[in-house]
Amino acid sequence: MRRSLTFIQCVVWKDGLNKSLSYIFPEVPDGLDAGALDLARIPQHVAVIMDGNGRWAKKRMMNRLRGHNAGIEAVRETIRCASDLGVRYLTIYSFSTENWKRPQDEVDGLMELFAKTMLAEVDGLHEEGVRVMTIGDLSPLPPETREAFEAAWRKTRGNDGMTLVVAVNYGSRDEIVHAFKEYMREAEDAAQAGEDAPELTEEVLASHLYTANVPDPEVVIRTSGEMRLSNFLLWQAAYSEFVCTDVLWPDFDRYEFLRCLLEYQSRERRFGGV
């Protein structure tokens, strides 16, 4: 059974909230209170490890690609809800550097799905003011998949709404190695010019990461009950809060997103202090 928000909850507008709470959460399940959400503490950056598509499909005697297709609606729902709540950055872990080890038909199907989905969704994202960017190495992707992501970036890069960061062919260890190589190249260029190389600091190395202009996530959400990072944002998540849910990704909706945000807001972030 679901219930609607009260009038008081419907008219709350604060900070970056782009829609009323009654619009974002029209039928709140029993036991969940959207009014408990502290709008002044909406995280600036939410990162999501989308897990469970294969298990969702297996439970329904379907092939894994059917699960990946079903997960697209959860992506749409999460993007829409995060943007409406005023989240500034949403990073979704779409395809890791390790995912190439999966069966070839699944990899091929995912690449086709990425291209079709990006092409189908980009106009709507653009109308909502969402900016689309990718992190990871796009060069090994099939040309049509790579072009779909690049076209989305070109179309939306001037938008000033939420930034959707799609991690595709992304691995955090590779990212850190890439950043260090970029720093070494910068140092070599400085030496050849007779200049001092910049001191290697956390800030300098971070400036060479794929996420150089993106703030670190305050919260990392992982679905399907798994509790590991899986080579995702190892550097950036140093002080992120982790929220894990047993819900499989295709079943993840705005109300589960709300539960995750409420769990995040229940934590006291100390950053190593007391």
Side-chain angles (χ1 to χ4, degrees):
M1 182 177 178
R2 296 175 183 269
R3 59 185 176 80
S4 299
L5 292 170
T6 67
F7 175 76
I8 292 175
Q9 291 167 326
C10 289
V11 298
V12 177
W13 293 76
K14 284 186 181 180
D15 301 314
L17 192 68
N18 295 322
K19 301 283 194 312
S20 69
L21 284 179
S22 62
Y23 179 91
I24 302 171
F25 305 112
E27 296 182 324
V28 183
D30 287 341
L32 188 62
D33 182 8
L37 191 65
D38 185 346
L39 301 179
R41 295 179 57 220
I42 296 295
Q44 183 179 20
H45 183 180
V46 177
V48 184
I49 301 173
M50 307 177 293
D51 197 11
N53 290 342
R55 274 165 284 176
W56 184 93
K58 185 177 181 180
K59 286 173 64 175
R60 291 160 176 78
M61 305 294 290
M62 300 175 179
N63 66 41
R64 292 176 60 85
L65 280 174
R66 292 284 294 276
H68 294 310
N69 275 277
I72 294 300
E73 181 54 39
V75 174
R76 291 192 189 102
E77 178 98 341
T78 304
I79 292 171
R80 195 177 301 123
C81 185
S83 178
D84 288 345
L85 284 171
V87 172
R88 298 303 300 161
Y89 297 86
L90 175 68
T91 298
I92 55 175
Y93 202 8
S94 299
F95 191 86
S96 76
T97 50
E98 290 77 25
N99 287 155
W100 295 105
K101 301 173 186 176
R102 294 187 176 188
Q104 191 60 49
D105 62 338
E106 182 177 354
V107 172
D108 292 344
L110 280 167
M111 292 298 147
E112 182 179 357
L113 180 63
F114 292 153
K116 287 183 176 179
T117 302
M118 200 76 267
L119 291 171
E121 300 293 332
V122 66
D123 287 342
L125 292 170
H126 183 51
E127 288 175 7
E128 292 294 322
V130 174
R131 183 175 64 142
V132 180
M133 63 175 284
T134 59
I135 55 174
D137 180 9
L138 298 187
S139 61
L141 271 57
E144 60 273 15
T145 305
R146 185 171 62 250
E147 173 56 28
F149 283 120
E150 291 174 348
W153 163 246
R154 290 194 298 270
K155 187 177 187 69
T156 66
R157 61 185 174 184
N159 292 341
D160 58 4
M162 186 183 76
T163 297
L164 174 64
V165 184
V166 184
V168 59
N169 194 31
Y170 173 86
S172 190
R173 289 179 174 179
D174 281 354
E175 178 187 26
I176 293 169
V177 170
H178 174 268
F180 186 73
K181 287 180 177 178
E182 287 294 306
Y183 167 77
M184 292 300 296
R185 187 175 296 112
E186 185 179 275
E188 290 171 4
D189 290 344
Q192 290 177 1
E195 302 171 353
D196 291 333
E199 179 184 0
L200 181 58
T201 63
E202 287 187 17
E203 292 74 20
V204 168
L205 189 62
S207 72
H208 292 292
L209 295 173
Y210 297 136
T211 56
N213 298 312
V214 176
D216 292 341
E218 291 96 328
V219 57
V220 176
I221 297 169
R222 181 161 189 154
T223 59
S224 85
E226 302 293 345
M227 298 186 183
R228 59 179 179 273
L229 272 175
S230 297
N231 200 17
F232 181 57
L233 301 180
L234 301 179
W235 177 284
Q236 299 88 338
Y239 278 102
S240 300
E241 297 293 327
F242 291 92
V243 177
C244 298
T245 171
D246 290 333
V247 172
L248 301 177
W249 178 248
D251 294 326
F252 191 89
D253 61 13
R254 64 186 56 232
Y255 300 105
E256 193 60 30
F257 189 63
L258 172 61
R259 287 188 182 93
C260 291
L261 293 184
L262 289 171
E263 172 60 26
Y264 159 75
Q265 291 189 349
S266 74
R267 312 274 181 85
E268 182 180 352
R269 307 185 73 205
R270 299 187 182 90
F271 300 96
V274 293

